[in-house]
Amino acid sequence: DRMVERIAPLEYDTFLAKVIEGSENVILPVSFFHRDVTIDLDENRNEILQANSLNLAGREEGAVVPFANVVEMPTELFSKSAAGLGHISFGTDTDGKIRREMLFYEYDGFLYPSYALATAAMALGIAPSDISVTLGKEMRLGPYVVPLSKDSSARIRFKGPRGVFPVYSFYNMLIMANTPEKAKDIFKDKIVLFSTSASGLAPLFSTPVDSSL
């Protein structure tokens, strides 16, 4: 019985990895940090991470970008199954509120996109290899050219406070499993974000439109 208990979670992970891979549109999050001690990734996950890096075409004088020497990312099983990776490391203003998106993070000589940027590129059908960045000047996403500030951040245009986007609980999704056509109508051609919501588990951020978004 104890052996079965140990094997079962691994089987669930394998099943979930197959679902992620089969979907072909799942972006998983990574977190970058700058700490006193550098912790290197294992070789396999490092290769997976580098496959999601952007083309660094140049750097204008005075341009800066957040630098990290530590990264936390999903297991190799999940990371290699995902269609892409994007960082969820946020920076706050002096009053503790989040107003800007850090579009890139530099780690081990490579440039990585934010989760929002990776998701937008996926929705536009643009691969990381087709994104070229000149820090402090511009970012080219396929046919699109986006001007960049010296710190390569982007001001967030908040849609509104908590609740402005529809939220569906895990229970709601179980109910929808019995009505797949309804679920298809709701989620077709939409960007869907998955997160915990239980008190104490979900990360809360202070923003100009909501103090605990």
Side-chain angles (χ1 to χ4, degrees):
D1 290 342
R2 291 182 178 179
M3 182 61 72
V4 171
E5 290 176 358
R6 293 177 181 178
I7 293 176
L10 296 178
E11 292 178 345
Y12 290 137
D13 284 354
T14 301
F15 176 76
L16 178 56
K18 289 181 178 179
V19 172
I20 291 173
E21 184 175 11
S23 298
E24 298 183 343
N25 59 3
V26 175
I27 305 292
L28 292 181
V30 301
S31 296
F32 289 111
F33 307 94
H34 185 76
R35 293 176 174 163
D36 294 336
V37 178
T38 299
I39 302 176
D40 295 325
L41 282 176
D42 60 84
E43 183 177 351
N44 290 342
R45 285 198 298 167
N46 198 40
E47 289 182 0
I48 295 170
L49 183 64
Q50 289 180 8
N52 290 273
S53 64
L54 310 179
N55 295 313
L56 180 56
R59 188 187 302 251
E60 294 288 289
E61 183 177 355
V64 294
V65 64
F67 168 79
N69 62 349
V70 175
V71 58
E72 293 181 357
M73 62 184 291
T75 64
E76 179 185 344
L77 178 63
F78 292 147
S79 296
K80 70 180 182 182
S81 301
L85 301 172
H87 82 75
I88 54 171
S89 302
F90 294 96
T92 59
D93 286 345
T94 54
D95 61 355
K97 295 185 182 297
I98 293 177
R99 293 184 175 87
R100 292 181 174 274
E101 166 85 357
M102 308 307 296
L103 293 173
F104 321 107
Y105 244 91
E106 188 173 353
Y107 171 77
D108 197 27
F110 291 86
L111 198 66
Y112 295 97
S114 68
Y115 191 88
L117 175 55
T119 302
M122 168 69 68
L124 293 170
I126 299 173
S129 58
D130 293 325
I131 301 177
S132 179
V133 179
T134 301
L135 293 174
K137 182 182 180 182
E138 66 183 20
M139 169 176 58
R140 293 181 175 270
L141 297 89
Y144 306 98
V145 179
V146 180
L148 295 176
S149 62
K150 287 295 183 181
D151 65 355
S152 296
S153 67
R155 187 174 292 277
I156 300 173
R157 298 179 63 181
F158 292 96
K159 288 290 186 180
R162 182 193 299 268
V164 69
F165 293 107
V167 177
Y168 299 90
S169 68
F170 182 71
Y171 177 75
N172 293 147
M173 300 308 299
L174 288 177
I175 298 299
M176 285 188 196
N178 298 318
T179 55
E181 288 302 317
K182 179 180 179 180
K184 183 177 180 180
D185 291 340
I186 292 174
F187 298 112
K188 184 179 180 180
D189 299 327
K190 301 293 194 303
I191 294 175
V192 182
L193 303 177
F194 290 84
S195 176
T196 55
S197 60
S199 178
L201 292 180
L204 298 177
F205 301 100
S206 179
T207 71
V209 297
D210 197 311
S211 60
S212 57
L213 191 62

